[in-house]
Amino acid sequence: MSDQLIKTITKDKAFRAFAIDGTHLVQEAAEAHDTSRIASVILGRALLATELFAQASLKGEERVNIKLAGRGPIGNVVTEADTKGSVRGYVTNPQLEPIVNDQNQLNIAGAVGRNGTMQVTKFAPYSQPYIGQSQLVSGEIGDDFTYYMAQSDQIPTVIGVGVEMDKDDKVKNAGGFLIQALPGVTDAQLDKLEADLKKRTPLPELLDQSVGAVGILADIFGDDNLDMLMTMQVGLAAEPPKESYAKMLATLPSHEVKAMIDEDGGAEVVGKFSGKRHYFDRVELSSILKDIQDREAREKAEKKHD
């Protein structure tokens, strides 16, 4: 079954609300990066929050890159998403050993850290990237996305994300929601939402009931208080083909590729976002080297001619 994201609006037109059931994409990411239990939760939360952020903030061909740098032992948490439902990401230290709090629960904030920033870079065709930044407020990820959106958009917003692991360190369920106030919302409506959020069922417990994305929002607003706007499939961004990595190798200086051939007899390229490995043997590198040497010869001739 594909993962799903829904977009809704409350019947009183006070809020728009998105929800995502992303269990499969989080498990795929955990497997691709061979993440530990705590790293799986951190990466999963970041992927879910980024996908929700992208659907709420981007248009057309825009895409976003988000970097959480809290100076914690997990290192940087980096994610990317577009408007079409594709998301990807990685953490610097995917094999981080579990860190627990006084309740013997995973200490996500302790692993991410709070002494740092959340940097958001939005890319749009034919324009310069927009870069925004805010301080991390909790290290729990959902709260940090919430703070950034409230600061950057000046719109009351809340993002909640959750990832639950099973006893075998596999992703049991993963999901989240984003709620944003619409123009004309009243203080009474905001107060009611705040009260409803305090009474909501914790996400892991709710997802354990297999309620899906619709059930996440129904738990907050009720079954009959939402109008569906859109349903879309979401998933991990496709891994670039090996040919794309060959083109990247072809941008290196010839002496670097020659060293790979002479000293190592080949080269292994690891996709930072996908975790997948691509091996180039001596024959493949020799072909790439010839293209580089031809390019360098042309550039040298052009420079001499000038």
Side-chain angles (χ1 to χ4, degrees):
M1 183 191 301
S2 299
D3 289 327
Q4 186 182 69
L5 183 145
I6 62 171
K7 301 181 182 183
T8 71
I9 186 172
T10 55
K11 290 187 181 296
D12 60 8
K13 305 298 187 289
F15 303 98
R16 62 174 184 163
F18 302 170
I20 182 173
D21 181 345
T23 302
H24 295 93
L25 76 86
V26 173
Q27 177 58 30
E28 287 180 20
E31 291 175 355
H33 293 281
D34 192 24
T35 44
S36 66
R37 187 179 185 88
I38 193 168
S40 295
V41 173
I42 292 169
L43 177 58
R45 287 189 186 185
L47 289 170
L48 296 168
T50 301
E51 183 58 43
L52 289 163
F53 178 97
Q55 294 304 320
S57 304
L58 304 183
K59 298 178 181 178
E61 298 301 314
E62 293 177 342
R63 59 187 178 86
V64 65
N65 175 285
I66 296 177
K67 177 181 177 181
L68 300 171
R71 302 182 183 178
I74 196 67
N76 294 332
V77 183
V78 182
T79 52
E80 289 188 353
D82 59 22
T83 61
K84 301 177 178 64
S86 294
V87 63
R88 61 182 185 171
Y90 66 91
V91 296
T92 304
N93 187 4
Q95 288 300 312
L96 180 66
E97 290 296 320
I99 302 171
V100 296
N101 56 26
D102 294 338
Q103 289 76 44
N104 201 35
Q105 298 175 327
L106 290 177
N107 187 352
I108 303 303
V112 174
R114 303 181 184 89
N115 186 23
T117 59
M118 173 174 166
Q119 180 174 294
V120 176
T121 306
K122 293 182 181 180
F123 301 91
Y126 316 114
S127 63
Q128 291 296 316
Y130 166 81
I131 301 177
Q133 185 171 284
S134 65
Q135 293 295 310
L136 295 181
V137 293
S138 76
E140 295 284 351
I141 300 178
D143 295 339
D144 300 301
F145 273 76
T146 294
Y147 181 75
Y148 176 85
M149 293 192 74
Q151 292 295 306
S152 65
D153 299 338
Q154 299 294 304
I155 300 173
T157 304
V158 59
I159 293 179
V161 287
V163 176
E164 184 180 17
M165 308 295 291
D166 65 19
K167 58 183 179 61
D168 297 319
D169 289 346
K170 302 294 184 182
V171 177
K172 187 176 182 181
N173 53 59
F177 64 86
L178 180 151
I179 301 171
Q180 197 165 55
L182 294 173
V185 66
T186 66
D187 289 341
Q189 289 168 323
L190 288 170
D191 290 343
K192 184 179 185 307
L193 174 63
E194 183 177 358
D196 290 340
L197 287 171
K198 289 180 179 178
K199 294 185 296 183
R200 71 178 178 86
T201 307
L203 272 173
E205 181 181 332
L206 190 63
L207 291 169
D208 223 12
Q209 303 170 18
S210 300
V211 299
V214 174
I216 292 174
L217 296 182
D219 182 68
I220 299 170
F221 293 103
D223 293 324
D224 302 319
N225 292 323
L226 295 167
D227 288 326
M228 186 71 68
L229 299 178
M230 180 186 293
T231 300
M232 64 185 298
Q233 294 183 349
V234 294
L236 288 184
E239 163 70 0
K242 186 177 180 179
E243 290 76 13
S244 296
Y245 291 100
K247 291 179 181 178
M248 287 194 256
L249 287 172
T251 65
L252 296 174
S254 58
H255 69 271
E256 291 188 18
V257 176
K258 190 173 188 304
M260 294 177 191
I261 297 171
D262 295 341
E263 299 173 14
D264 303 318
E268 185 178 70
V269 179
V270 181
K272 185 170 284 188
F273 282 100
S274 68
K276 293 185 177 179
R277 300 175 182 273
H278 300 275
Y279 183 75
F280 292 83
D281 61 24
R282 185 185 297 272
V283 174
E284 291 171 312
L285 286 181
S286 295
S287 176
I288 292 171
L289 176 61
K290 184 180 183 305
D291 291 339
I292 296 173
Q293 290 172 333
D294 290 344
R295 184 197 73 217
E296 290 177 342
R298 289 194 303 271
E299 291 173 349
K300 185 176 181 180
E302 290 172 359
K303 186 174 182 181
K304 184 177 181 180
H305 182 267
D306 292 340

